Amino acid sequence: MTPNEWKALGVYHQINGKQIFTIDTGAKDAHEDKPVLVILHGHPTSSHDYYYALPELAKRYRVIVHDHLGFGLSDKPKNYSYALQEQADYALLLWQRLGLTSAHVFAHDYGTSIATEILARWNMGLFPLGLRSMTLCNGSVHIELARLRIMQKLLRSKLTGPLVARLSTQRVFNRNMRKIWYDAKTIKTSDLDAMWTLLTHNDGKMVLPTIAQYLRDRVRFWNRWVGALQQTSLSLGFLWGTEDPITNGNVAKVHHKEAPGSRLVLLEKLGHYPMIESPERWTQGLLELLDEFEAVAKK
């Protein structure tokens, strides 16, 4: 699916003066009584990562996925902090705008830190909506266990970040993306083209160094976010591509061990983007977890 085709499926919501691109499969059927699944996408990509899985998920859930500020088709202001806490604020304000009262949360990569910030608030009773479950996928909340790529380290540096962002090309981007797949031969050129187009949309390269500071936030707020997972009473799931060179299956096992009562689904022979590398297996794994959470809630 091209970026223009994806754009045609969504709408913009103005949140705190910024335009946030949003896909909402229940927008035309708000009366339909489906449980809600909200998705928080990863870095440096966008909501487009879920175009393969969306039709199947939408059969059973009202699925809502937006582009974080600075990503994809959403606004990309140059003079902005891009703090993860603010990304959580935007997500919550968007969900309130859409009239949600409860939802399952799924988060991948960068989105897992937004999700754990939301979870920390929920644990303290500060969350305005009802959470039904939270599932994390291939994220480095345990930042000390992650094997960061050279590009991530360069972008995080305040010295090299702006230069690297300015000089980055699609050829370099494609090479780096192929390194985090289990089987790089399965990546479609059209998907890489879409990722690059959405990343560079609206001068998006220029905000990458600021956004990359989220890696420092994961160190600074380690106790808050890892602690939220360890201390919560919410149903938790970990859905993980085991061959991810950044956060392999052992990271998921650490999270699972630390979170009493959590569920763990390991997707063998898949890398950092399992929802793209094998959307059928990823979707099946997520739906099975959500079925378990729904069954627990009915007891």
Side-chain angles (χ1 to χ4, degrees), residues 36-61:
V36 176
L37 170 64
V38 294
I39 294 177
L40 300 168
H41 71 78
H43 173 279
T45 48
S46 69
S47 58
H48 186 268
D49 295 343
Y50 298 90
Y51 84 88
Y52 285 117
L54 192 64
E56 192 65 27
L57 292 175
K59 291 178 182 178
R60 293 171 49 186
Y61 291 89

Side-chain angles (χ1 to χ4, degrees), residues 13-180:
H13 290 278
Q14 186 168 352
I15 306 295
N16 197 28
K18 305 294 190 297
Q19 294 295 317
I20 303 299
F21 177 76
T22 308
I23 298 284
D24 179 0
T25 66
K28 296 180 180 178
D29 300 299
H31 63 281
E32 196 171 8
D33 189 23
K34 287 182 179 179
V36 176
L37 170 64
V38 294
I39 294 177
L40 300 168
H41 71 78
H43 173 279
T45 48
S46 69
S47 58
H48 186 268
D49 295 343
Y50 298 90
Y51 84 88
Y52 285 117
L54 192 64
E56 192 65 27
L57 292 175
K59 291 178 182 178
R60 293 171 49 186
Y61 291 89
R62 177 185 175 186
V63 183
I64 297 167
V65 55
H66 69 280
D67 288 342
H68 308 304
L69 194 68
F71 293 76
L73 295 168
S74 289
D75 280 353
K76 299 174 180 178
K78 291 182 175 61
N79 297 315
Y80 198 78
S81 69
Y82 293 103
L84 287 161
Q85 287 90 340
E86 290 176 306
Q87 297 284 26
D89 292 339
Y90 274 93
L92 294 175
L93 289 168
L94 173 65
W95 298 341
Q96 286 181 303
R97 173 75 58 83
L98 295 175
L100 306 189
T101 57
S102 67
H104 297 279
V105 177
F106 172 85
H108 172 242
D109 182 74
Y110 177 89
T112 61
S113 288
I114 301 171
T116 50
E117 170 60 24
I118 289 171
L119 184 61
R121 300 181 193 186
W122 186 86
N123 289 348
M124 293 185 286
L126 301 176
F127 190 72
L129 307 176
L131 289 186
R132 304 178 76 162
S133 72
M134 182 173 287
T135 300
L136 305 187
C137 176
N138 292 84
S140 52
V141 178
H142 260 296
I143 188 65
E144 75 283 3
L145 300 180
R147 299 174 181 174
L148 299 181
R149 312 302 290 177
I150 293 176
M151 183 63 74
Q152 290 176 296
K153 295 177 181 178
L154 290 173
L155 283 172
R156 181 179 60 179
S157 168
K158 294 182 180 180
L159 179 63
T160 62
L163 179 63
V164 169
R166 190 178 303 112
L167 298 178
S168 60
T169 64
Q170 185 173 0
R171 181 179 179 182
V172 173
F173 174 81
N174 289 356
R175 183 171 67 243
N176 285 325
M177 292 301 291
R178 288 189 175 99
K179 289 179 180 178
I180 58 177

Side-chain angles (χ1 to χ4, degrees), residues 185-210:
K185 295 190 296 294
T186 65
I187 305 177
K188 294 181 180 178
T189 300
S190 58
D191 284 338
L192 291 171
D193 289 344
M195 290 178 187
W196 181 251
T197 297
L198 290 165
L199 186 155
T200 56
H201 172 74
N202 197 18
D203 211 14
K205 288 199 296 182
M206 294 301 98
V207 301
L208 285 176
T210 307

Side-chain angles (χ1 to χ4, degrees), residues 207-270:
V207 301
L208 285 176
T210 307
I211 290 174
Q213 300 312 307
Y214 80 92
L215 295 167
R216 300 182 188 277
D217 284 351
R218 282 178 165 170
V219 176
R220 182 180 180 188
F221 297 103
W222 189 96
N223 289 299
R224 177 176 174 84
W225 295 338
V226 173
L229 293 169
Q230 295 172 345
Q231 300 160 14
T232 193
S233 60
L234 185 69
S235 295
L236 291 179
F238 301 98
L239 178 63
W240 224 266
T242 61
E243 307 307 315
D244 180 355
I246 304 171
T247 55
N248 60 34
N250 290 330
V251 177
K253 292 176 183 178
V254 170
H255 278 307
H256 176 53
K257 183 177 180 180
E258 290 180 343
S262 63
R263 271 68 167 177
L264 173 64
V265 175
L266 296 176
L267 300 173
E268 303 289 344
K269 297 184 178 180
L270 292 180

